[in-house]
C-alpha cells in the first residue's frame, strides 16, 4: 500500500492480516504513513535493514524489569522514552535500564493533559525531564517523543532548546487498550512494520488500561523473531540511522 513505509522487507508474523484490520483505526492507518512520507526523520525512518524498538511511559518498578529480562534473553537493546516524574521516583530502575545497554529518551515530565499546549510549561517540564535523566544516568538524553505524538510548535521549540531530537513512530501495537492480547499486538505491528521502521510499544500501564503491558511483553518474542526471519536487526534509535536533519525545520 502506498501509505506504508517504502524501504525494507515486510515483517511476517503469525497473526493473519484480517485480524490486524480489526485492531487498526483510521488514525493508525493514515497518520504514521503520512508522517513517513512527509517527515521521514520525524517518523523514525532509518536504515532499511533495521527496526528501532522503542518503549514509552516508563520506568515502572513492576513491569519494566520484566521487559529488561526478556530483552536480555532475546539479545535485543531498545530506546525507552521515560517520564521525568518517574525518573526521579525510580532512579535505580532508570540506572538499571542503562546498565543493561538500553538508551533513554524523554517522553515529558508527566503524561497529564498533553492535548493542552502551554509553551511555557512545556519548555520548563521538558528541560526538567531531560535534566533528571542526565543527573540520574550521567548521560544527556538525545531523543524526545511527546505523549500521544502531539508535537506542537511549542514542544518542538522546547525540544530544540533542551537539545532533544523529536522522533515519533512508523508502527505501533495498540498495546495500551484493555482488550489487547499478544496476538492482537503482533497482528497490529505486522500490518505496518517494515524495515527502516520505528516501533512503538509500552513497558508499563502507567497511562493505559491496567495490566495491558502483559500483551506487549507476550508479543515481543514473536515480533523480534519475525524481524529476524525477515533479515532485520532490531536496536535502539541511536543505531537506526535516522536522518541527520530534523524535517519540519
Ligand atoms: Zn505515552
Amino acid at each position: 500500500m502506498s501509505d506504508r513505509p517504502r524501504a525494507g522487507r515486510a515483517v511476517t508474523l503469525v497473526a493473519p492480516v484480517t485480524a490486524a484490520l480489526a485492531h487498526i483505526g483510521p488514525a493508525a492507518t493514515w497518520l504514521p504513513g503520512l508522517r513517513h512520507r512527509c517527515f521521514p526523520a520525524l517518523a523514525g525512518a532509518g536504515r532499511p535493514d533495521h527496526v528501532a524498538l522503542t518503549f514509552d511511559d516508563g520506568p515502572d518498578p513492576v513491569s519494566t524489569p520484566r521487559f529488561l529480562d526478556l530483552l536480555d534473553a532475546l539479545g535485543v537493546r531498545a530506546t525507552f522514552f521515560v517520564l521525568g516524574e518517574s525518573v526521579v521516583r525510580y532512579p535505580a530502575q532508570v540506572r538499571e535500564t542503562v546498565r543493561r545497554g538500553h538508551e533513554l529518551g524523554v517522553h515529558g515530565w508527566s503524561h497529564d493533559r498533553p492535548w493542552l499546549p502551554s509553551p511555557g510549561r512545556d519548555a520548563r517540564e521538558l528541560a526538567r525531564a531531560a535534566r533528571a535523566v542526565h543527573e540520574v544516568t550521567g548521560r544527556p538524553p538525545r531523543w524526545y517523543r511527546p505523549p500521544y505524538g502531539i508535537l506542537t510548535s511549542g514542544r518542538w521549540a522546547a525540544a530544540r532548546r533542551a537539545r532533544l531530537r523529536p522522533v515519533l513512530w512508523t508502527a505501533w501495537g495498540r498495546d495500551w487498550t484493555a482488550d489487547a492480547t499478544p496476538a492482537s499486538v503482533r497482528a497490529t505491528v505486522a500490518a505496518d512494520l517494515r524495515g527502516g521502521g520505528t516501533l512503538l510499544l509500552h513497558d508499563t500501564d502507567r497511562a493505559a488500561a491496567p495490566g495491558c503491558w502483559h500483551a506487549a511483553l507476550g508479543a515481543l518474542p514473536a515480533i523480534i523473531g519475525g524481524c529476524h526471519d525477515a533479515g532485520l536487526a532490531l536496536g535502539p534509535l541511536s543505531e537506526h540511522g535516522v536522518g541527520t536533519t530534523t524535517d519540519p525545520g
Side-chain angles (χ1 to χ4, degrees), residues 135-157:
E135 287 173 1
V136 167
T137 67
R139 303 178 193 177
R142 181 174 170 190
W143 312 101
Y144 169 54
R145 175 181 289 155
Y148 308 105
I150 301 174
L151 186 61
T152 61
S153 58
R155 286 174 195 153
W156 185 273

Side-chain angles (χ1 to χ4, degrees), residues 20 36 46 50 79 101 120 141 170 176 181 186 194 208 216 220 234 243 245 247:
H36 190 95
H50 190 265
T79 302
T170 66
W176 61 86
T181 65
R186 284 200 306 271
R194 301 290 183 272
L220 261 185
L234 291 100
T245 58
D247 301 308

Side-chain angles (χ1 to χ4, degrees), residues 56-57 81 83 107 111 145-149 200 202 207:
D56 284 9
D57 293 2
F81 284 91
L83 294 168
H107 196 40
H111 219 277
R145 175 181 289 155
Y148 308 105
L200 162 64
H202 298 78

Side-chain angles (χ1 to χ4, degrees), residues 5 8 16-17 49 61 65 74 82 92 100 113 118 126 138 145 149 157 160 168 172-173 176 186 202 205 240:
V17 171
D49 62 344
L74 297 170
V82 294
R100 303 242 198 146
R113 299 182 302 163
S118 170
L126 196 50
R145 175 181 289 155
R160 290 181 73 132
L168 301 179
W172 61 19
W176 61 86
R186 284 200 306 271
H202 298 78
D205 55 9
H240 194 46

Side-chain angles (χ1 to χ4, degrees), residues 33-176:
L34 183 70
R35 274 204 306 262
H36 190 95
R37 281 201 307 275
C38 299
F39 309 115
L42 175 62
R47 55 190 172 94
D49 62 344
H50 190 265
V51 166
L53 181 59
T54 70
F55 296 91
D56 284 9
D57 293 2
D60 184 314
V62 173
S63 53
T64 301
R66 301 281 300 276
F67 283 81
L68 297 186
D69 287 346
L70 181 57
L71 291 172
D72 266 357
L74 297 170
V76 172
R77 301 289 170 261
T79 302
F80 287 79
F81 284 91
V82 294
L83 294 168
E85 66 176 9
S86 299
V87 169
V88 297
R89 193 169 177 193
Y90 309 114
Q93 183 59 65
V94 174
R95 281 191 285 268
E96 179 65 9
T97 301
V98 172
R99 192 188 70 76
R100 303 242 198 146
H102 306 286
E103 70 171 351
L104 300 182
V106 175
H107 196 40
W109 182 257
S110 72
H111 219 277
D112 299 336
R113 299 182 302 163
W115 48 88
L116 292 177
S118 170
R121 186 197 66 198
D122 290 341
R124 283 192 303 276
E125 292 193 347
L126 196 50
R128 187 180 175 201
R131 200 163 50 242
V133 170
H134 193 169
E135 287 173 1
V136 167
T137 67
R139 303 178 193 177
R142 181 174 170 190
W143 312 101
Y144 169 54
R145 175 181 289 155
Y148 308 105
I150 301 174
L151 186 61
T152 61
S153 58
R155 286 174 195 153
W156 185 273
R160 290 181 73 132
R161 276 200 294 277
R163 306 177 72 84
L164 296 169
R165 179 168 171 178
V167 174
L168 301 179
W169 61 88
T170 66
W172 61 19
R174 292 188 65 81
D175 52 333
W176 61 86

